[in-house]
Each structure stands twice: as structure tokens, then as C-alpha cells.
Amino acid sequence: MTQTLVHDGVLVIGGGLAGLSAALEAAPRKVLVVTPAPLLEACSSAWAQGGVAAALQPGDGADLHARDTAAAGGGLVEPEVTQALTRKGRETVEWLAGLGAPFDRTEQGEFAVGLEAAHSRPRVARVGGDGAGRAILSALVVAVRGAGHITTWEDGRLRALIQDNAGRVRGALIERQGRLIRLLAPAVVLATGGYGGLFAHTTTPASLLGEGLAAAWLAGADIRDPEFVQFHPTAINIGLDPMPLATEALRGEGARLVDAEGAFLLGPEADADLKSRDQIARAVHAAMESGRGVFLDARRAIGMTFPAHFPAVFAACMRAGIDPRLQPIPVAAAAHYAMGGIVADEEGRTTLEGLFAVGECASTGVHGANRLASNSLLEAAAFGRLAGRAAAGAVDIADRPAVGPTTAQDLPAEALGTLRQTMSREVGVTRDGVGLSRALEQISVLERAVPGALPLITARLTVQAALDRRESRGGHFRSDYPQALPVAHHTVLRRAMDHEPSSAKPRETTP
């Protein structure tokens, strides 16, 4: 029997940086945070190595940061929302530091910053070289556990969104310990992360399957640009799932990409390895496909300082029997970040009343077709805070009865494995129409066996949008359409509520 509970406050689903930032800023309104795993587990925020991008030094500024963001984004970055983000850079870093995030400092006490690919200035605030994500999130977890207005359920999984007859989101169907709970609330904040777990080769927690995006789609929320998936070029290639990450900061410090013969992968120029991620990922993928092998050589640039400057990468390498002080690190491109997601503004407001979306599950327009390195943690915290405040102002509509949603089936492990292999093989760094069509056929086979499974919905939306985008732009590269169209356009997916999700087609619009 399904239990019904009423929460007179904000319901936050997700325990990463975006969700916890929203929860803290919703004070003094009561907040219930629901996550499928204990805080600090199964979220990409805790795995982030680079840091928080922000204009923190003389000679830098929010306008320059915004221009770099737009230059990386392949013509699809939304200027106003990006300016709103970059102008909050210093404020956000200082807020995180005030909560206890131990950012690296200079001798003068200023934030120490590093250079990452496609940034025109060093502006990435780090923690311990490559430990930013876990250290920052740990500070927020301490703050959340000490906040009197926040309650956490660390064993709850989103199964569906609850709406009233007018379509307003009124809560969520949550599974806890095998039982379903209809949890009613005036506002729901989705902070469920991306869908890197749909790929066999990924740097994200494998449990991130886009279920929040799929639930929002089923409820009627607009989805934008799901075909734009960023592949990180330097995932450590040692046969693990997920693949450990070799932070981009290594290349910022001078580490070089080479093939098995030691030849520079992208050329001998000093900045050759600091192009945008989509360019580097395609070069790495091409070298792997040709059998040349790819390695990140940090021996000269980092050398014996590796354990002190990049302890997380050093530990991952040493566990695999690789000493990066003495050996090049084998790397490959792997799914890393979803630029697209649930359409939302900087306050997290979606196209559905009562529903907010923040972090990687949202598409605010700041990443365009290709995210600028280390903008994700900035967006998660800055826009998460704004969403928390906005959601705290939501008022329940008590006279509208909530409609009971249907619960999707789980995807069995074997079917999920088939999906992940299909996505990496056919929807990876380089795509074409034949492979994308094969992927859709495989998804259809799985849908017949497990109809309505949330991961399959997100996979179908991603693949169909990739098939319909007949150009190459940012993280989406079609070998059969290698050029970009003259005018950049978004893919907007809007569900016809009288059709099944599998009948969805993208509606393409120019910004």
C-alpha cells in the first residue's frame, strides 16, 4: 500500500552540490532532501577534480569569463544567463569558503587559481590540487547536517513526479526500503545529476541514468539539447567502471598528450593540449581508433611533485600499478557531462509550475554545445542557491487534488549493460546516422521488454536528438555531417501528452 505524506516546505531530490546549495538557501523554510545513497556518495560533485571557475584575479573579470564560456559553447550559450552566472563567481567561491571549503590560498591569503583548457586566464579555484569536489561538498554536508530546517532521507529514490489536474507539480513518488511514498510538497527541486551512467565508458557514477530528466519529461517539462554530451579526453584507461579522471589541470600545468611512440597527439606547440574539450576528445578518440594508443605524459611538467600537487590522480594511478612520476598515464575519452537537460532559468524554474531543476539535470543555457571546464561547480552552487530561495517562496494549491502517477519498471542489470555498451559504441565521441539508427533499434528492443523504464526514456531522447541534428557542433560530432550549420539552433523536446514518449520528435528553434 502506498503511503501519503505531506511536507510543508521544499522537496529537494538529489544530494550533490546543486541540491545541497538549494537546501541551505531555502532557509528558514523547511526542506526535505531525498537522495538514493548517503551524502557524498553516488554524485558527480564529489568526484570533480578541477575546481570552481571564477574571475578572482586582477586582469580577469566576469565579462571575460562569459566570453570564454561563449567561445567554448559552439554558438548555443545564452548570453544573459551566462552573465548572471559569471558575475556571481567571486561571491559563490567566498560563500563556499565561508562554509568551510578549504580552497588553496596564496601566501597573501588570496584564492590560488589554475589554468584549464579554453580559459584565457587562470581562474579555477582548487582544493589540494585535484580534490575540489569532495572537499567542497564535504563542507556543505556538514552545514546541512547542522541546519535545523533540513531533514534528509538518504535512502530514497525518485520514481515519478506527482501533479494535479492542472499539471502543476505537487510532489514526488519516492521509493524507500521497497515501499512507495506519495510525498506532497509545494515545490520540488530536481538536482538528480546527469546521465553519464548510460554509457559504458564514463567518469561519472554509474548510477546516474537520467531518471530525473525522464521523470520531468513524462510530467511534460521541456527538455533541451540532450544530444550534447561532453566526453572528457583524459579518463584513466585501466579497465575500471567508472573510469578514474585525470584532471584537466594536469594539462594546465604542462602535461602533454602523446601516442605510444611518444609523439605529440595535437602538435608540439606549448598550448596545443589546451583547446576545448570536444577538440581534444576527438583527437584522443581518433588515436585510439587507429591503434596508436593515448597517454598523458606528466613526467617533465609534474614529476616528483605529483603526490603533493595531484594526490587523487596519483593515488588512482598507483592503485593500477602506474607511477605517473615515471610513466605516462594511459587515457581515453569517456562520457563526462551532459550539457542538455530540463529547461530551466537561473532560478531553476522549469516550464512546469512547482518544478525547479538545478545542476547537471538542468539546461540553463550556460554550457551551450560544449561546457567550459570547471563551470559546472560554479553553476551548481550559484544557481542552486537562487533556486533554493525561489522554491522557498512557493505556495501550495491545497484545493487541487494530486493525481497518482504510474511507477516505471526498473531496467534489469543485463538490459542496462546492453544499453550502456550500445550508447558508448553508437552515441560516443564520433557519431553517424547509421550508428544512431542502430542505437534506436536496440532501445526499441529493450523498451518492448521493459516498457517505460526511465533510463530508456532518457537514452531515446538523447539518441533521437543526435540523429535529428544533422551537423557537428561542440560535443556532438557527426562524421556524416562534419560541418556546423550557418545558424546555431537549440533542440527543444516538448512531449505531446496524448502520445507515448517513444513518439517524441524534437522541435528545433533558433535562439
Side-chain angles (χ1 to χ4, degrees), residues 477-500:
F477 185 82
R478 289 278 299 261
S479 59
D480 48 352
Y481 293 97
Q483 303 302 317
L485 293 174
V487 177
H489 64 274
H490 288 293
T491 298
V492 178
L493 302 172
R494 182 166 295 152
R495 186 183 178 210
M497 297 304 288
D498 57 342
H499 290 84
E500 292 300 314

Side-chain angles (χ1 to χ4, degrees), residues 14-39:
L17 182 57
L20 298 190
S21 296
L24 288 168
E25 289 295 291
R29 193 78 185 267
K30 291 181 180 179
V31 177
L32 174 58
V33 175
V34 176
T35 72
L39 297 180

Side-chain angles (χ1 to χ4, degrees), residues 192-204:
T192 51
Y195 41 92
L198 294 179
F199 294 81
H201 304 135
T202 182
T203 65
T204 76

Side-chain angles (χ1 to χ4, degrees), residues 176-369:
R176 293 186 81 191
Q177 300 174 351
R179 298 184 63 185
L180 292 175
I181 301 172
R182 295 176 77 251
L183 189 55
L184 304 183
V188 176
V189 178
L190 289 181
T192 51
Y195 41 92
L198 294 179
F199 294 81
H201 304 135
T202 182
T203 65
T204 76
S207 59
L208 295 183
L209 301 172
E211 292 176 321
L213 185 153
W217 161 260
L218 289 176
D222 284 3
I223 307 299
R224 181 168 56 197
D225 297 338
E227 68 270 33
F228 291 117
V229 177
Q230 186 170 79
F231 295 86
H232 201 291
T234 54
I236 302 175
N237 190 16
I238 50 177
L240 295 181
D241 178 22
M243 299 171 73
L245 186 64
T247 174
E248 197 158 282
L250 289 162
R251 283 177 284 133
E253 295 294 327
R256 302 301 303 269
L257 285 162
V258 298
D259 65 15
E261 302 298 321
F264 289 126
L265 206 66
L266 290 109
E269 298 80 10
D271 62 350
D273 293 343
L274 294 177
K275 297 182 176 69
S276 61
R277 281 186 176 171
D278 60 306
Q279 294 174 283
I280 304 293
R282 286 195 294 275
V284 168
H285 178 73
M288 291 293 292
E289 289 291 292
S290 69
R292 294 168 57 195
V294 183
F295 299 84
L296 185 65
D297 190 348
R299 292 174 295 180
R300 182 185 297 272
I302 314 297
M304 295 301 159
T305 68
F306 216 121
H309 288 180
F310 298 97
V313 179
F314 182 74
C317 289
M318 293 297 284
R319 284 195 296 269
I322 299 164
D323 189 338
R325 298 168 297 187
L326 306 174
Q327 302 166 266
I329 306 166
V331 295
H336 182 63
Y337 191 88
M339 274 76 74
I342 306 161
V343 175
D345 65 14
E346 62 265 35
E347 292 186 329
R349 299 181 191 277
T350 71
T351 56
L352 293 179
E353 187 181 359
L355 180 66
F356 299 77
V358 290
E360 193 176 348
C361 74
S363 172
T364 62
V366 300
H367 303 309

